Amino acid sequence: MRGHIAKKGKKYYIVVDIGIVDGKRKQKWLGGFDTKAEAEEALPGILNIIYQNKNKLLERKTFGELLDLWLNTVAKNRVSLSTFQSYSSSIALHIKPFLGDYELSKLTPMDLQKYYQHIMTEKGLSSTLALYHHRIIHQALDYAVKMDMLEKNPADYVDPPRKRSYQPSIWDEKTAKKALEIFKETNIRIPVLLAIYTGMRIGEIAALKWDDIHLEQGYITVNKTLMKINGQTYIKEKAENKNSYRIVAISNQVVEELKEWKAKQEKLKKELKELYHDEGFVCTFEDGRVQDPKYITKVFQKTIEKHGLPKIRFHDLRHTHASLLLKHGIDPKHISDRLGHSTITTTLNIYSHVFDEKRRKVAETFEDILNNQQK
């Protein structure tokens, strides 16, 4: 609680900041005193009275109102567009329906603990998502403390959900090869081909332009990602000094299929003329419009279900690519570089299940060495 002395006309007043109401700092003027010395003498006692009755001076605010305030005044200016969209969805779909009507000043650690239990047991969300929600809630409540809307953050006293290690679903060699044949008959043939053969992320694949693909040299420059938010398409450039900006080598088969698709695009341009949307994207509909990640994911899921392929996410094609390389003895360092991981430790942690198989094989090999020696 802060206060200072201000002169207005011939009188001196004690001005106290009592918090934020509707996004604006609210002040209370008390006095006035004939002299500055009188005001300074009264200041400590006034501050104590205000502190004891602060909640009466502030309008009652719900936790839902705080979330909206924090989202649109803090988060909006600090995080990326995709993260802001993610925060907005989490708040609207999950956090506010359960906690939104709670009076902010009465929100307790127990209320938060009940929420995490609710979304994991009744809503079936993962512990990873529950932890993500906890971080959103914690940031919003931290903001309330900084703005003198709360004395302390109730999220500080909660045991946050514990993130469980994720083991991705993957296809084996036979299934991956079968999928490549099946998807040849769909309009997302190229995205699936690139995901399986390069391990690129779906946003990176969707953002590819022909200028990024060097067919004669046999490599792809991964330098941006595409996302679609509220019907609008956005391209985010990657910083050159980050691992996500990288060069990915492609095999002869991928080169040939890309050449074939590029030739088909050129033919479609001539046929459709001004109706063709020529923006240089690789993964497009027949009229040249770019395919966004949501569309690719939707078609992918429908196709694997139709053909009875093992159910996995599109992102798991990236995991399939890496796991098969590890299984067949490729150095993890090269795989880490190919995937754009920040460190090789990230790669080793994600694909620890593959290394478990290798560890067992080492043990069995050593046993065979000794058994053969005894013969």
Side-chain angles (χ1 to χ4, degrees), residues 40-289:
E40 289 175 338
E41 184 178 355
L43 179 59
I46 292 292
L47 288 177
N48 185 56
I49 293 171
I50 296 293
Y51 181 83
Q52 297 297 328
N53 297 277
K54 184 170 66 171
N55 288 336
K56 295 178 182 178
L57 295 171
L58 286 169
E59 293 181 13
R60 289 185 178 181
K61 189 175 290 294
T62 65
F63 183 48
E65 290 172 324
L66 168 70
L67 287 168
D68 290 338
L69 179 64
W70 169 78
L71 187 67
N72 292 296
T73 59
V74 180
K76 192 172 186 178
N77 299 316
R78 290 186 180 176
V79 301
S80 67
L81 188 60
S82 58
T83 300
F84 178 77
Q85 180 69 18
S86 176
Y87 284 178
S88 301
S89 297
S90 295
I91 289 170
L93 296 177
H94 299 289
I95 303 174
K96 280 179 70 175
F98 191 90
L99 293 170
D101 291 335
Y102 280 65
E103 191 174 324
L104 178 61
S105 62
K106 295 180 180 178
L107 189 68
T108 67
M110 183 58 71
D111 296 327
L112 300 181
Q113 205 79 62
K114 287 179 180 178
Y115 169 68
Y116 303 138
Q117 186 70 15
H118 164 74
I119 60 173
M120 288 191 289
T121 57
E122 297 181 33
K123 293 294 185 180
L125 298 187
S126 68
S127 58
T128 300
L129 277 175
L131 181 60
Y132 181 67
H133 289 189
H134 170 72
R135 288 169 178 163
I136 293 173
I137 290 168
H138 198 285
Q139 289 181 72
L141 290 170
D142 261 349
Y143 171 70
V145 173
K146 289 176 183 176
M147 294 295 105
D148 285 336
M149 298 164 72
L150 285 175
E151 292 178 26
K152 57 186 178 182
N153 186 340
D156 285 339
Y157 305 92
V158 172
D159 289 327
R162 187 170 294 177
K163 184 177 180 180
R164 294 176 184 173
S165 58
Y166 172 70
Q167 184 168 322
S169 300
I170 60 171
W171 282 340
D172 58 21
E173 298 91 324
K174 185 178 179 181
T175 306
K177 192 170 182 180
K178 181 180 178 181
L180 287 168
E181 290 301 317
I182 289 170
F183 279 95
K184 273 188 177 181
E185 306 304 318
T186 71
N187 66 350
I188 63 165
R189 160 197 171 193
I190 297 301
V192 172
L193 173 79
L194 291 172
I196 291 176
Y197 271 92
T198 70
M200 290 170 62
R201 301 174 180 90
I202 190 170
E204 295 170 340
I205 292 170
L208 281 176
K209 292 194 172 186
W210 287 111
D211 289 344
D212 304 315
I213 299 183
H214 309 272
L215 294 172
E216 298 308 317
Q217 294 84 2
Y219 69 88
I220 294 173
T221 303
V222 182
N223 55 20
K224 53 188 172 293
T225 189
L226 181 146
M227 64 192 80
K228 197 167 188 177
I229 300 174
N230 296 330
Q232 295 292 318
T233 300
Y234 299 91
I235 301 288
K236 182 180 179 182
E237 300 287 336
K238 295 179 182 287
E240 288 192 43
N241 60 342
K242 293 186 177 180
N243 293 66
S244 52
Y245 181 100
R246 62 196 189 279
I247 303 266
V248 178
I250 51 178
S251 66
N252 291 334
Q253 181 177 336
V254 174
V255 168
E256 291 307 313
E257 293 208 34
L258 285 171
K259 284 182 177 179
E260 182 183 321
W261 172 239
K262 189 175 184 181
K264 185 175 181 179
Q265 275 192 343
E266 293 297 330
K267 183 180 178 183
L268 288 166
K269 285 181 194 178
K270 292 177 182 178
E271 292 174 353
L272 296 176
K273 297 179 181 178
E274 66 276 3
L275 296 178
Y276 190 86
H277 300 262
D278 190 5
E279 298 178 278
F281 286 105
V282 176
C283 302
T284 64
F285 296 103
E286 291 198 340
D287 63 358
R289 288 177 298 121

Side-chain angles (χ1 to χ4, degrees), residues 261-322:
W261 172 239
K262 189 175 184 181
K264 185 175 181 179
Q265 275 192 343
E266 293 297 330
K267 183 180 178 183
L268 288 166
K269 285 181 194 178
K270 292 177 182 178
E271 292 174 353
L272 296 176
K273 297 179 181 178
E274 66 276 3
L275 296 178
Y276 190 86
H277 300 262
D278 190 5
E279 298 178 278
F281 286 105
V282 176
C283 302
T284 64
F285 296 103
E286 291 198 340
D287 63 358
R289 288 177 298 121
V290 65
Q291 295 176 337
D292 67 86
K294 289 182 180 178
Y295 174 81
I296 295 170
T297 298
K298 184 178 179 181
V299 175
F300 177 76
Q301 292 299 334
K302 283 187 175 181
T303 305
I304 64 173
E305 184 178 347
K306 177 183 176 182
H307 291 273
L309 291 172
K311 188 175 180 180
I312 63 173
R313 307 169 306 165
F314 189 92
H315 189 73
D316 289 328
L317 297 181
R318 173 176 168 85
H319 296 312
T320 294
H321 177 78

Side-chain angles (χ1 to χ4, degrees), residues 343-360:
T343 66
I344 190 173
T345 304
T346 303
T347 309
L348 297 175
N349 287 339
I350 293 175
Y351 303 106
S352 59
H353 61 289
V354 180
F355 289 101
D356 288 341
E357 295 175 11
K358 287 183 173 292
R359 291 184 187 105
R360 283 193 294 271

